[in-house]
Amino acid sequence: MCSSDLFATNEEQDLDHIIDRSLANNSLPVLVFDSPENADGDFSADQIASLRRQKKDKYPQICVIQLVSPDAAAFALQSYNDGVRAVLPRPSREEGNDGFVADTVQFLQIFQSYLLRYTEERKDSFTGNLRKTIMALRDLMEAPEVALLLLQFVAAIFERSITLIVRESELVAEKGIGVKAEKSKGATPAMGFRIPLGKPSLLRNVIEEGCMFYGITNDAVVREYLFATIGAPSRSSILLLPLKLRGKTISLTYGDFGSKEPTVIELDLLGILARQAELVLENSMYRKKLEKPLVKG
């Protein structure tokens, strides 16, 4: 499962580095802006709003929370208009509140509770999609149908996805989503390009070991045959999800984020889906054997 990262900095130039590092570790960034009157570096409300919009445009998947003083109604409404997930009033010492310490303790407790609920909501959303996909798997019998369902599931997370069929000495690109046409168009017909498996490579390792890969790669075969054909993504974080039959990898589902920034991936749940797909194919194979009529000698 992914974790949530809460980080702090007083320097605007540090934000991209911290967010990128968090996403590279498959952690969920939570970006919290202090209220203008409390923000270090004399950030005005307009400066904070501009920075908020910049980060939401570049990292649309991150959770942004804005803290405000209790009387800043206009700034709170503008924050929601900028796509902030939550606006939370925070205690202010300047108001001369005798209960400032107690109010601060209560604020921190509520803030922690909100972060936990947000993490659970994200997990529940992904789990719900996984549950629907597993239910759909039960009605399938053939490997191409199962591979297509995996492709569609991966495409819901990544900007570009491809089904790569494993042959004896090569991978053959079959259907793709978001590669030859807009992602909204769904799966495109057979793509046809081939990737040789003669040299040691990340692709061959995943096929032979049958283990999912997600992370940054500089693999030569990936660069020379895959990225050279479809174009390299802005970030080299990629997914390779194997589909196995009786322990042998028969296809890989590839995913990357294209021109967008990476998001958090629920790797454990993807592993569950891959295992369920393998069981569906094995059960289908056994059913076919049982239904095959006996040949009388």
Side-chain angles (χ1 to χ4, degrees):
M1 297 293 181
C2 68
S3 59
S4 294
D5 280 355
L6 181 62
F7 48 81
T9 180
N10 297 328
E11 303 297 333
E12 178 181 343
Q13 62 267 25
D14 292 341
L15 278 179
D16 283 358
H17 172 69
I18 295 172
I19 295 172
D20 288 341
R21 184 178 61 194
S22 180
L23 290 172
N25 292 330
N26 203 38
S27 295
L28 176 66
V30 177
L31 180 57
V32 182
F33 287 98
D34 204 352
S35 55
E37 63 273 18
N38 292 305
D40 291 331
D42 297 323
F43 277 111
S44 68
D46 288 343
Q47 287 173 317
I48 291 175
S50 175
L51 186 57
R52 253 186 352 228
R53 289 190 291 269
Q54 289 175 22
K55 300 312 162 193
K56 281 297 290 181
D57 287 344
K58 186 172 184 180
Y59 306 97
Q61 74 275 19
I62 66 172
C63 173
V64 178
I65 297 173
Q66 178 66 59
L67 306 184
V68 299
S69 60
D71 58 352
F75 184 65
L77 291 174
Q78 181 60 46
S79 300
Y80 279 119
N81 189 56
D82 290 342
V84 168
R85 182 175 176 85
V87 177
L88 303 179
R90 60 162 291 169
S92 175
R93 190 187 296 273
E94 283 71 20
E95 293 179 359
N97 186 350
D98 292 336
F100 174 74
V101 174
D103 289 345
T104 299
V105 170
Q106 183 183 36
F107 164 76
L108 292 174
Q109 291 172 338
I110 293 172
F111 184 44
Q112 181 185 40
S113 176
Y114 178 84
L115 290 176
L116 290 173
R117 285 201 309 274
Y118 169 69
T119 303
E120 289 301 318
E121 286 173 11
R122 279 187 59 96
K123 196 180 301 180
D124 289 345
S125 175
F126 193 98
T127 303
N129 191 18
L130 176 69
R131 189 180 300 113
K132 291 178 183 177
T133 303
I134 289 177
M135 291 293 290
L137 272 173
R138 296 178 181 178
D139 298 326
L140 303 182
M141 296 283 290
E142 305 296 336
E145 297 174 326
V146 174
L148 177 59
L149 196 63
L150 290 181
L151 178 71
Q152 292 167 337
F153 187 88
V154 168
I157 306 168
F158 293 84
E159 291 303 307
R160 305 192 303 178
S161 51
I162 303 170
T163 298
L164 300 167
I165 305 299
V166 179
R167 302 299 186 203
E168 186 174 344
S169 60
E170 64 183 4
L171 284 168
V172 179
E174 195 189 39
K175 293 182 175 64
I177 297 178
V179 180
K180 293 178 66 177
E182 293 291 329
K183 184 177 173 180
S184 60
K185 300 292 184 182
T188 59
M191 304 181 69
F193 67 86
R194 287 168 160 75
I195 303 174
L197 295 174
K199 300 178 181 178
S201 69
L202 171 63
L203 296 165
R204 200 168 83 176
N205 288 346
V206 171
I207 292 168
E208 293 175 351
E209 296 174 7
C211 297
M212 172 176 54
F213 172 85
Y214 175 69
I216 296 173
T217 182
N218 194 31
D219 183 79
V221 173
V222 172
R223 287 198 324 268
E224 293 172 17
Y225 293 95
L226 184 57
F227 291 168
T229 303
I230 68 172
S234 297
R235 303 281 183 177
S236 53
S237 295
I238 68 170
L239 172 75
L240 294 169
L241 183 66
L243 173 60
K244 295 183 288 185
L245 178 58
R246 299 182 68 181
K248 182 179 180 180
T249 303
I250 60 174
S251 72
L252 299 178
T253 304
Y254 166 87
D256 70 38
F257 292 100
S259 61
K260 296 189 176 180
E261 294 295 327
T263 188
V264 177
I265 308 299
E266 297 281 3
L267 296 176
D268 290 346
L269 297 185
L270 272 172
I272 291 172
L273 178 59
R275 176 57 180 160
Q276 188 66 29
E278 180 181 355
L279 291 174
V280 165
L281 287 180
E282 288 181 358
N283 290 337
S284 173
M285 181 184 66
Y286 291 134
R287 285 200 304 271
K288 289 177 181 178
K289 286 184 177 181
L290 291 174
E291 293 168 0
K292 188 174 181 181
L294 292 176
V295 179
K296 294 182 180 181

